[in-house]
């Protein structure tokens, strides 16, 4: 009895001692707060996948994707497209001499002509593209070889380009504008299109060079230093890219507002392609106000000023004429992808439905066998 009394008093002493120290000596609990979030008591929904929910989803996806794919595929096939290769491979090619004897140091441009025939007329606006093959604009060092601050009109970047532009950063002791490998490899062939009428007369097809670049590129990403005033003064103290025949402020002698970094051909080229075979918009042939086709069927001549060599890397050059639809240019892959996915889903739905009916042997009876 005395031992029990002693133990009780000792325990009371310990409690009173702990309480006398206050909260300063108390150990904080690591237990999370008693809230629904921290105790993981938030309401949740867990779907139960059954044949009654999964099978309709497969059929619905199939019934939606297949018609969409058919519509996209038909729209793509309705787009008219014509292309010709003018690389100059083979002695029978009209541009063979230009391709074989090309020289960067030549001051006389090499001219060649390619005759072709359009079997069907092209209605509405027609877009002229140039296409390149085996040209890897997606190479990591090539993509990085540019100075966006310089292209945005920053004067400090104009005189001191980024080191990413090496080895096309300086030339003859002067900074290059625009610097980098992308700008240095600018596509500079000149393409002119002529229609040969029934009388044999050659009629020039007007090609529109404005409106081929993205609006954000033209008005936001690419700006001339000091505005669009006297570009000769603005680019003073810089040098042209190594492979260019003229400085950046003389890219378009016929239009002073299309010079410098805001030249639309230059802007289009600077948006690098993702694949080694690509096309870029070159010109727009606008629809005629009359009811006649934009490009009637018949004979045509493509005059080319051959300035861009591609044989050194086994490349190819093409000129493409194309119309567009509500979905853009010709792209059969998108329609084929929708049809394929929809067909696979519909097929899996049928297979799973057969398996469900054939092997669903669940016994719903509550009878207990004897």
């Amino acid at each position: 009895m005395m031992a029990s009394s002693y133990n009780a008093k000792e325990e009371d002493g310990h409690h009173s001692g702990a309480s006398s120290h206050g909260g300063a000596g108390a150990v904080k609990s690591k237990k999370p707060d008693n809230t629904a979030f921290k105790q993981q008591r938030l309401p949740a929904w867990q779907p139960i996948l059954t044949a009654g929910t999964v099978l309709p989803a497969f059929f619905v996806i199939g019934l939606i994707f297949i018609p969409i794919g058919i519509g996209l595929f038909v729209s793509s096939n309705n787009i008219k497209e014509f292309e010709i290769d003018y690389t100059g491979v083979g002695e029978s090619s009209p541009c063979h001499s230009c391709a074989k004897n090309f020289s960067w140091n030549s001051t006389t441009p090499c001219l060649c002509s390619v005759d072709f025939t359009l079997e069907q007329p092209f209605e509405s606006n027609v877009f002229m593209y140039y296409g390149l093959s085996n040209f890897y604009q997606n190479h990591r060092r090539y993509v990085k070889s540019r100075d966006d601050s310089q292209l945005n009109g920053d004067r400090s970047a104009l005189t001191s380009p980024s080191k990413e532009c090496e080895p096309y950063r300086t030339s003859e002791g002067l900074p290059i504008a625009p610097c980098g490998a992308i700008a240095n490899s600018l596509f500079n062939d000149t393409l002119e299109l002529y229609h040969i009428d029934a009388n044999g007369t050659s009629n020039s097809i007007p090609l529109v060079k404005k409106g081929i670049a993205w609006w954000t590129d033209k008005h936001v990403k690419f700006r001339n230093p000091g505005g669009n005033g006297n570009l000769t003064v603005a680019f003073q103290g810089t040098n042209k890219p190594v492979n260019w025949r003229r400085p950046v402020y003389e890219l378009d002698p016929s239009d002073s507002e299309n010079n410098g970094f805001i030249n639309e051909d230059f802007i289009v080229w600077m948006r690098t392609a993702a694949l080694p075979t690509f096309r870029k918009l070159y010109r727009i042939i606008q629809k005629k106000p009359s009811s006649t086709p934009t490009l009637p069927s018949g004979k045509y001549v493509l005059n080319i000023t051959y300035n861009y060599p591609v044989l050194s890397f086994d490349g190819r050059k093409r000129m493409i004429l194309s119309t567009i639809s509500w979905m853009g240019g010709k792209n059969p892959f998108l329609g084929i992808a929708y049809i394929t996915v929809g067909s696979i889903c519909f097929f899996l739905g049928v297979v799973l439905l057969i398996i469900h009916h054939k092997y669903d042997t669940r016994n719903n009876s509550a009878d207990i066998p004897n």
Side-chain angles (χ1 to χ4, degrees), residues 22-30:
V27 179
K28 293 183 179 180
S29 174
K30 295 183 179 180

Side-chain angles (χ1 to χ4, degrees), residues 11 22 119 133 147 267 274 289 302 308 310 347-348 360:
E11 187 177 359
E119 301 295 341
S133 298
D147 189 340
I267 294 174
L302 177 66
Y308 203 77
V310 295
F347 175 75
L348 288 177
D360 187 15

Side-chain angles (χ1 to χ4, degrees), residues 78-97:
N78 288 336
I79 295 174
K80 295 178 181 178
E81 194 171 280
F82 178 86
E83 70 175 58
I84 54 175
D85 187 310
Y86 70 94
T87 308
V89 177
E91 295 184 0
S92 60
S93 173
C95 296
H96 175 70
S97 177

Side-chain angles (χ1 to χ4, degrees), residues 122-141:
F122 280 54
E123 309 288 345
S124 187
N125 288 344
V126 180
F127 297 84
M128 176 187 283
Y129 301 86
Y130 60 86
L132 294 176
S133 298
N134 204 34
F135 193 109
Y136 288 82
Q137 272 200 317
N138 56 2
H139 191 281
R140 182 181 63 85
R141 292 192 63 185

